[in-house]
Amino acid sequence: METVVVDLNHEHARRLLEDLQLLGAITIRPAANAAAHASLGRRPATFDAIRLDTRGFKFNREEANER
């Protein structure tokens, strides 16, 4: 037996899991720490910064001015 936590993003996924439960393939139980898990909440991912490796890069001003 293996225990996993799954976040359901669509109602289709819930129905699929319920069908598997009817077939006896899985058992769905409420999580013991559901309140703690729900309190984490989801916040949208943000893109704050980027880092590029520029080692070995030489800037050619004349080539850039041609563009």
Side-chain angles (χ1 to χ4, degrees):
M1 183 168 94
E2 183 178 354
T3 302
V4 296
V5 175
V6 178
D7 291 326
L8 301 176
N9 296 325
H10 298 285
E11 185 61 30
H12 301 291
R14 177 177 296 281
R15 280 189 251 135
L16 179 64
L17 290 174
E18 289 170 349
D19 289 344
L20 286 172
Q21 184 176 20
L22 289 174
L23 292 172
I26 63 171
T27 302
I28 299 174
R29 293 187 313 253
N33 60 354
H37 185 66
S39 69
L40 294 176
R42 286 194 171 205
R43 70 182 171 161
T46 58
F47 187 75
D48 293 329
I50 187 169
R51 179 179 289 186
L52 298 174
D53 183 13
T54 57
R55 285 179 278 178
F57 177 76
K58 286 190 127 185
F59 180 75
N60 186 336
R61 188 177 306 277
E62 292 173 8
E63 181 182 336
N65 286 333
E66 289 175 6
R67 295 184 205 157

